[in-house]
Amino acid sequence: MYTKILVPVDLAHTDKMVKALNTSIDIAKHYNATLCYVTVTNSTPGAAAHNPKELREKLAVFAEEQGKSHGISTDSIVMETADTAVELEDKLLEAIKTTGADLVVMASHPPGIGDRLHILHSNGANIVRHSDISVFVVR
C-alpha cells in the first residue's frame, strides 16, 4: 500500500519525536516501505548543524543508523530555505513531490489556545489540506 514514507525530522529535537519515529518505523516494516527522513533548514547555522552541508551529513548518518537498527530501508533529504518559519510547509510539500512519497508521518504539537486564536497553526493540518497523499500526524 505504501512504498515511500516521508518523515520530517528536527535533529535537535528527536527526543520529542519518539512516537512519530516509532510509528513511521512500524508502518515501514508492515509495508516493506522506505523511510525518507527530511529536514528543512535555514542557510544559516542552527541548533543541529553549522550549515546545510553538515546537516545533510548528520541526517544521512541518522537515517543509516535507523535503517540498520530497525532493519528497514532509509533515505534522507535536506531542503534548504532562506526562512524556515515562512517556507516550512512549502518545502515539505516540495519534498513530497521530489521523493515521490505516498505517506507522510509527522509529529505535531497538541492543539491549544494559540491554535484556537490562530496565533499558532499545525504544520500537519496544512500539509493535509494542500497535499494529495495520506498524512499521519502523531502527537
Side-chain angles (χ1 to χ4, degrees), residues 5 21 32 34-35 55 59 61 65 75 84-86 106 111 114 118:
I5 303 169
L21 293 173
N32 197 30
T34 298
L35 284 186
L55 185 58
L59 187 61
V61 168
E65 289 172 350
D75 195 3
T84 303
V86 173
M106 62 190 301
H118 302 288

Side-chain angles (χ1 to χ4, degrees), residues 3-102:
T3 58
K4 185 82 155 211
I5 303 169
L6 191 73
V7 185
V9 175
D10 181 345
L11 290 179
H13 299 288
T14 54
D15 59 318
K16 295 178 181 166
M17 303 177 55
V18 174
K19 283 175 70 175
L21 293 173
N22 288 340
T23 299
S24 65
I25 290 163
D26 287 346
I27 295 170
K29 284 180 175 180
H30 181 78
Y31 290 106
N32 197 30
T34 298
L35 284 186
C36 182
Y37 296 101
V38 61
T39 293
V40 179
T41 186
N42 290 325
S43 312
T44 56
H50 295 97
N51 56 56
K53 181 179 182 235
E54 180 184 354
L55 185 58
R56 201 167 282 111
E57 292 165 358
K58 287 184 174 185
L59 187 61
V61 168
F62 175 81
E64 185 178 336
E65 289 172 350
Q66 292 293 300
K68 285 181 181 174
S69 65
H70 299 287
I72 56 173
S73 173
T74 59
D75 195 3
S76 63
I77 184 172
V78 173
M79 306 295 289
E80 191 176 337
T81 178
D83 190 343
T84 303
V86 173
E87 296 186 300
L88 178 63
E89 291 156 11
D90 290 338
K91 289 296 182 179
L92 288 176
L93 290 168
E94 182 182 332
I96 291 168
K97 290 178 185 168
T98 300
T99 62
D102 48 14

